[in-house]
Amino acid sequence: MNIKFNNITFVLREKKDAEVNSKYLNNNGLYAKPFPITTTKYFNIYKFNLLSKSFDYFIITSANALQPLEKIILNSNNLAKKNIKVFAVGEETKIKLTKKGYVNILSANNNSTSLCELIISNTSNTDLGLWIAAKNRSSNLEEKLISKDRKIEIFEAYETQPIIQISRSIQDDLVNYSNINLLILSSRNVLIAKDILVKLNLFNEVNNKSTLLVNSQNVANNGKSIGWNNVVTIKKNFTKDILDYILHLSK
């Protein structure tokens, strides 16, 4: 694994996550900066006919869905954290659910295929599930479940919106540093990052001196398919484990 850590590492995530993750790297001796590329907009649950329905299970494919789930539970007369079944996309999301008091949680292996298999194995075709999803999601989980005779409804609870305008400081760093690492943990953010750089006429220059650090082979394949040259996959399930592995490699 050929990664150079002698210049700068950018964390390209939602604003808060980018700030928290880059601070962690800096506090442990690796020079890093937040590179916020998305913000999250939430939609009002009362605009959807959810609270009167009886769902047998919920599906969470992002930690962003925890806030809407909490509101649904809080405003429902027949739901409680201790008795609802929640399918989480990965172990990290499961831990966040556990900390909030949920008990019956089943976690997949951080991808829609394993999540679909998990749901099929632990539900029947008479159960009704609710997927608390992003409006601009890329997963075809709904189609996979329907093809297996599962009843599923979707609540488009939030939308991640790209931040196209980036600061002059980040633009200057992208030009001035000769070696750049870009930590990106989703296929959509890999595409957003390219779109940002293309609009700034910086993609070719940055691409030639950058290494994309991603968390799955699927994200790596998507990055390569849209033109990123140097992509390295860090096969860790937790963000902290990814950060710690980067710190280990930088020693």
Side-chain angles (χ1 to χ4, degrees):
M1 186 178 292
N2 183 23
I3 307 175
K4 299 177 181 178
F5 288 99
N6 58 335
N7 275 313
I8 191 169
T9 296
F10 282 110
V11 180
L12 289 82
R13 303 193 68 189
E14 196 273 336
K15 186 175 185 295
K16 181 179 178 181
D17 290 333
E19 291 171 349
V20 170
N21 294 166
S22 60
K23 182 179 180 180
Y24 182 83
L25 292 174
N26 276 301
N27 288 344
N28 287 278
L30 179 65
Y31 183 49
K33 275 191 173 184
F35 187 155
I37 60 172
T38 61
T39 58
T40 303
K41 175 186 177 182
Y42 288 95
F43 303 115
N44 193 331
I45 64 170
Y46 299 106
K47 292 182 179 180
F48 301 83
N49 184 26
L50 297 173
L51 303 180
S52 62
K53 295 185 178 181
S54 179
F55 294 101
D56 297 289
Y57 61 93
F58 294 83
I59 304 170
I60 304 294
T61 49
S62 167
N64 288 331
L66 268 63
Q67 178 179 313
L69 177 61
E70 291 276 276
K71 288 186 176 181
I72 292 172
I73 301 297
L74 181 65
N75 290 279
S76 174
N77 293 324
N78 60 349
L79 295 174
K81 292 181 180 181
K82 65 180 180 180
N83 59 23
I84 69 168
K85 180 184 289 185
V86 183
F87 292 94
V89 70
E91 195 67 23
E92 189 166 14
T93 306
K94 178 181 178 180
I95 289 174
K96 291 179 180 179
L97 284 162
T98 301
K99 288 180 178 179
K100 288 183 175 293
Y102 295 89
V103 177
N104 190 8
I105 312 164
L106 294 87
S107 63
N109 191 29
N110 288 315
N111 61 73
S112 61
T113 299
S114 65
L115 180 59
C116 180
E117 293 171 353
L118 185 69
I119 294 169
I120 297 301
S121 300
N122 292 276
T123 61
S124 72
N125 57 11
T126 60
D127 292 334
L128 176 62
L130 179 67
W131 179 14
I132 303 176
K135 184 176 182 180
N136 47 358
R137 62 194 176 277
S138 58
S139 171
N140 61 347
L141 179 64
E142 179 189 15
E143 289 81 1
K144 291 179 180 179
L145 291 171
I146 291 175
S147 72
K148 298 295 183 179
D149 296 323
R150 292 302 183 269
K151 293 191 297 182
I152 183 75
E153 292 192 13
I154 296 179
F155 169 35
E156 293 182 337
Y158 60 94
E159 180 179 24
T160 54
Q161 300 174 328
I163 301 173
I164 299 301
Q165 298 295 327
I166 64 173
S167 69
R168 172 54 61 182
S169 172
I170 292 177
Q171 293 183 48
D172 290 343
D173 288 342
L174 291 170
V175 172
N176 294 330
Y177 280 95
S178 59
N179 182 71
I180 299 170
N181 295 310
L182 304 172
L183 176 60
I184 310 180
L185 303 183
S186 78
S187 293
R188 183 167 183 265
N189 285 358
V190 167
L191 177 59
I192 292 173
K194 179 180 178 180
D195 288 343
I196 290 172
L197 295 172
V198 167
K199 285 181 170 62
L200 295 171
N201 294 316
L202 289 176
F203 178 68
N204 291 333
E205 179 181 352
V206 172
N207 193 18
N208 288 332
K209 59 183 179 180
S210 294
T211 300
L212 254 65
L213 306 177
V214 302
N215 60 327
S216 76
Q217 193 57 50
N218 182 57
V219 177
N221 291 340
N222 286 331
K224 292 174 183 177
S225 71
I226 61 172
W228 289 101
N229 293 333
N230 189 19
V231 184
V232 172
T233 305
I234 300 174
K235 295 181 180 179
K236 303 289 183 181
N237 291 328
F238 296 93
T239 302
K240 184 178 183 302
D241 290 343
I242 293 171
L243 299 177
D244 286 341
Y245 189 68
I246 290 171
L247 291 169
H248 170 72
L249 292 175
S250 68
K251 302 298 184 185

